[in-house]
Amino acid sequence: MRVLCHMGAESSRKRLLFSVLVGFERRASNGVKRAFFVVQVKEKRQAIVLIPEIALTYQTVMRFYRTFGERVSIMNSRLSAGERYDQMMRAKKGEIDVMIGPRSALFTPFPSLGLIVIDEEHEAAYKSEQVPRYHARETAIERASLEGASVVLGS
């Protein structure tokens, strides 16, 4: 795998690391992203991984559970409003370290966000067609900038 684009930008006391990963075999790409998560968790910071809902498979989720155990949560359209609320409250209280889900997972209220990974960032699923309209990539970059977190875009 190679890093196609790596830019650092300084803003008032906060650093944004922006990387684009391309050309990696899928398995290698997942290993690199998990390594980023391990570093964040060791630093007591949380991470969000955005995956197009269609790609949110049992195998993908299990890779993260094997590494992080119960400190992982999943957000998807099959959850009821109450279940989504419960997962957001777990994140806010610091009971989980990694949130996996579609673009809505981007709004997880982590107390110390350190990393946002957008898998398959070229997918159209990251553009919201409903109000409020937003693109998950642009929103992730802005949120990371505000919180001093890093962004990794996978393609």
Side-chain angles (χ1 to χ4, degrees):
M1 206 182 284
R2 64 192 164 101
V3 175
L4 177 70
C5 175
H6 176 97
M7 305 180 304
E10 291 292 328
S11 63
S12 59
R13 298 169 306 176
K14 296 191 178 180
R15 190 175 140 269
L16 170 65
L17 172 66
F18 176 79
S19 299
V20 180
L21 302 176
V22 295
F24 289 95
E25 181 180 314
R26 186 100 182 126
R27 185 177 310 233
S29 174
N30 288 334
V32 168
K33 286 179 261 184
R34 271 196 312 279
F36 278 114
F37 288 122
V38 169
V39 169
Q40 292 303 312
V41 170
K42 284 183 180 177
E43 293 178 0
K44 304 288 187 220
R45 299 194 73 191
Q46 295 83 34
I48 296 170
V49 60
L50 300 183
I51 300 175
E53 184 132 15
I54 196 160
L56 193 55
T57 64
Y58 176 79
Q59 291 83 3
T60 302
V61 171
M62 288 313 296
R63 285 186 204 114
F64 284 94
Y65 274 121
R66 281 193 287 277
T67 304
F68 301 105
E70 295 298 314
R71 305 284 302 174
V72 174
S73 184
I74 287 42
M75 186 68 57
N76 65 45
S77 62
R78 291 183 293 268
L79 296 177
S80 70
E83 289 170 322
R84 283 193 297 274
Y85 176 82
D86 290 345
Q87 295 313 309
M88 291 294 184
M89 288 301 101
R90 285 184 66 212
K92 188 173 184 176
K93 292 175 188 175
E95 296 174 3
I96 59 174
D97 296 314
V98 179
M99 177 65 80
I100 303 170
R103 66 177 182 255
S104 62
L106 184 57
F107 302 104
T108 302
F110 279 128
S112 184
L113 182 63
L115 178 67
I116 301 171
V117 172
I118 304 179
D119 194 30
E120 303 296 329
E121 69 89 18
H122 59 278
E123 288 287 328
Y126 290 121
K127 285 187 178 181
S128 172
E129 298 300 327
Q130 300 174 23
V131 175
R133 287 186 169 88
Y134 67 96
H135 193 296
R137 179 185 60 234
E138 303 306 320
T139 306
I141 291 168
E142 183 62 24
R143 180 168 183 198
S145 176
L146 292 170
E147 297 195 36
S150 301
V151 176
V152 176
L153 304 177
S155 181

